Amino acid sequence: KSDVDIAVITETILGRKEKLVILNKILLALAQNGYEVDIVIKSIDEMKDKSDFVGGLPYTLLKEGKTLWTKQA
């Protein structure tokens, strides 16, 4: 069971290798501070495609999630 659940929403669909790089960076940083974390990486398009499915992860994230950081253009 995790202490923190994190969703990383990207502008484009990422490949498996790119996702693993992001996952490793986040997990390493948080694990060094003693946190157990679950991480999901989805693109904006993947979120939009499934955001109407009540009970699904994108729906729940959009309704209950908190934005921690947004990249400035």
Side-chain angles (χ1 to χ4, degrees):
K1 190 159 182 161
S2 67
D3 297 322
V4 179
D5 296 326
I6 297 175
V8 177
I9 310 303
T10 62
E11 293 177 358
T12 59
I13 295 174
L14 301 178
R16 180 174 168 79
K17 230 176 181 178
E18 294 169 302
K19 287 182 179 181
L20 288 173
V21 169
I22 293 170
L23 287 170
N24 284 332
K25 286 181 181 181
I26 296 171
L27 288 172
L28 181 62
L30 293 174
Q32 288 175 343
N33 290 300
Y35 292 103
E36 291 187 31
V37 182
D38 286 336
I39 302 171
V40 174
I41 300 177
K42 298 274 185 200
S43 72
I44 292 170
D45 289 339
E46 290 171 318
M47 290 290 292
K48 286 180 183 176
D49 288 345
K50 296 183 174 124
S51 63
D52 292 337
F53 178 65
V54 177
L57 183 62
Y59 179 88
T60 304
L61 288 172
L62 292 170
K63 297 295 180 190
E64 299 177 17
K66 306 283 187 254
T67 300
L68 301 177
W69 181 80
T70 301
K71 179 180 176 181
Q72 301 299 316

